[in-house]
Amino acid sequence: MKRVLVVHYSQTGQLSDILRSTVAPLEASPDIEVTWLPIEPATPYPFPWPAGFFFNTFPETVYEDVDPIKPIAMPADTDFDLVILGYSVWFLSPSKPITAFLQSTEAKTLLAGKPVITVIGCRNMWLSAQERMKDQLSALGAHLIDNVVLTDSAHSAFTFISTPAWMLTGHKGPFLGGVVPEAGVSAEDIAGCRRFGEAIAAKLPTRERGDTSPMLSGLGAVSIFEGLMSSEKVARKSFLIWGRLLRACGKPGNPLRGAVLVIYVAFLFTLICTVVPLLAVIKSLIKPLARERIARQRAYYAEPSGEGRALLGAAE
């Protein structure tokens, strides 16, 4: 009997749906036992988010200054053969509850020496968050063997409207009379996650302990958006600079921090509306001159599962 631990935090429920679809074939297997470990903040985050609270969360998120979580209900037996770690992306970083878990002593016990599959549900930018996740898993002695990423398939211009609207109102849309599609990962893509669970269920029962090779290659586990690679780097640096400034202005609720936050929000929207599209255009223009470098970057970010889709037809 192989034992799988599923660690997750889902505020909107979307990530929970993704994980349920992924894990369903494992729960149906007579050779696999699944244990769910939801992470819960000591004080739940509001949903929908008040606008001021939402933006005030970002400095501590990017600097990994987390809020307390409820005591982790440790399984009686922590000797798992595989850990599936599901997380959402907050301000190009893993969500604060998941970061809090990774900083806990319990995480060391549960993850040290274990193969880990990360599962991400987000709008479209996740590269920086996964880089931080890699660092944290490595520090815990865990082995990242696969990464699955589900994103909103609508055009970035639409998700720029729909995702904040969803977070701030609780309504997924459609918006503007149907011009802007419903926010979030599509039901079809969520249902398609079952293929990952089927692949794991087929391979895990006979997999040797200590095997850290990927199990999900060829199944389209990730897709890299080349036009967003440079934009995400710029946005990440911006978050670090402004986050440091806002933290220097005091805790949330400080009037000075509130004033600076208003300036930051205006800057952020200007950045997204001008610099991000410009970088995407520049990226497309220089692509022929930097084809090999871009290909190396793309392959790196796609690791360990890769973008290959050779087995996708068979899985479906």
Side-chain angles (χ1 to χ4, degrees):
M1 178 71 69
K2 297 288 187 177
R3 303 180 65 241
V4 176
L5 177 67
V6 183
V7 181
H8 66 105
Y9 168 74
S10 180
Q11 187 188 32
T12 66
Q14 174 177 266
L15 184 63
S16 294
D17 292 341
I18 292 170
L19 288 170
R20 279 193 290 267
S21 178
T22 302
V23 174
L26 306 182
E27 294 182 314
S29 171
D31 301 316
I32 299 174
E33 176 186 277
V34 177
T35 299
W36 290 81
L37 182 59
I39 304 302
E40 300 180 67
T43 301
Y45 292 97
F47 186 77
W49 291 79
F53 188 85
F54 176 78
F55 288 107
N56 240 325
T57 302
F58 106 82
E60 283 68 35
T61 299
V62 298
Y63 279 95
E64 298 174 3
D65 181 4
V66 299
D67 300 319
I69 55 177
K70 291 183 179 180
I72 297 170
M74 291 289 284
D77 183 355
T78 61
D79 186 24
F80 291 95
D81 298 283
L82 175 68
V83 177
I84 297 175
L85 178 57
Y87 75 95
S88 304
V89 177
W90 291 11
F91 300 101
L92 306 185
S93 300
S95 68
K96 290 178 75 174
I98 287 298
T99 297
F101 163 73
L102 293 171
Q103 293 178 359
S104 70
T105 56
E106 290 87 351
K108 183 71 174 179
T109 300
L110 292 169
L111 299 184
K114 307 295 195 306
V116 175
I117 296 175
T118 47
V119 178
I120 304 171
C122 66
R123 177 194 169 213
N124 56 18
M125 288 187 175
W126 54 270
L127 304 182
S128 297
Q130 186 66 357
E131 288 301 292
R132 287 301 305 136
M133 178 60 68
K134 290 177 186 177
D135 290 342
Q136 294 180 78
L137 290 177
S138 178
L140 291 168
H143 306 288
L144 178 65
I145 65 168
D146 277 297
N147 182 35
V148 174
V149 182
L150 278 294
T151 62
D152 191 324
S153 58
H155 191 279
S156 293
F158 292 141
T159 62
F160 176 61
I161 298 172
S162 61
T163 301
W166 179 23
M167 294 298 103
L168 300 177
T169 69
H171 301 295
K172 297 184 70 173
F175 302 96
L176 301 180
V179 174
V180 177
E182 180 179 294
V185 178
S186 70
E188 180 182 3
D189 287 346
I190 291 175
C193 288
R194 184 178 179 87
R195 69 185 185 273
F196 303 120
E198 290 172 347
I200 297 168
K203 297 175 181 179
L204 185 61
T206 58
R207 190 174 171 92
E208 295 291 332
R209 280 261 177 156
D211 188 347
T212 58
S213 61
M215 287 193 282
L216 304 180
S217 298
L219 291 174
V222 301
S223 295
I224 307 297
F225 301 100
E226 292 181 1
L228 294 178
M229 289 193 297
S230 297
S231 300
E232 187 162 339
K233 290 180 180 178
V234 171
R236 172 70 180 175
K237 290 179 180 178
S238 166
F239 284 161
L240 290 170
I241 293 170
W242 280 92
R244 185 183 301 113
L245 175 60
L246 284 162
R247 282 162 63 83
C249 292
K251 298 289 185 181
N254 183 294
L256 177 59
R257 175 161 166 159
V260 175
L261 185 63
V262 171
I263 298 172
Y264 162 72
V265 172
F267 167 81
L268 177 63
F269 277 86
T270 302
L271 180 75
I272 293 173
C273 293
T274 58
V275 176
V276 170
L278 180 61
L279 285 174
V281 172
I282 293 173
K283 190 84 171 181
S284 65
L285 292 175
I286 67 172
K287 183 177 179 179
L289 304 176
R291 194 177 302 276
E292 291 185 6
R293 181 176 61 83
I294 293 173
R296 286 195 301 270
Q297 289 180 330
R298 185 166 182 158
Y300 167 77
Y301 286 125
E303 292 177 347
S305 304
E307 293 187 88
R309 304 172 69 86
L311 302 179
L312 200 53
E316 295 175 339

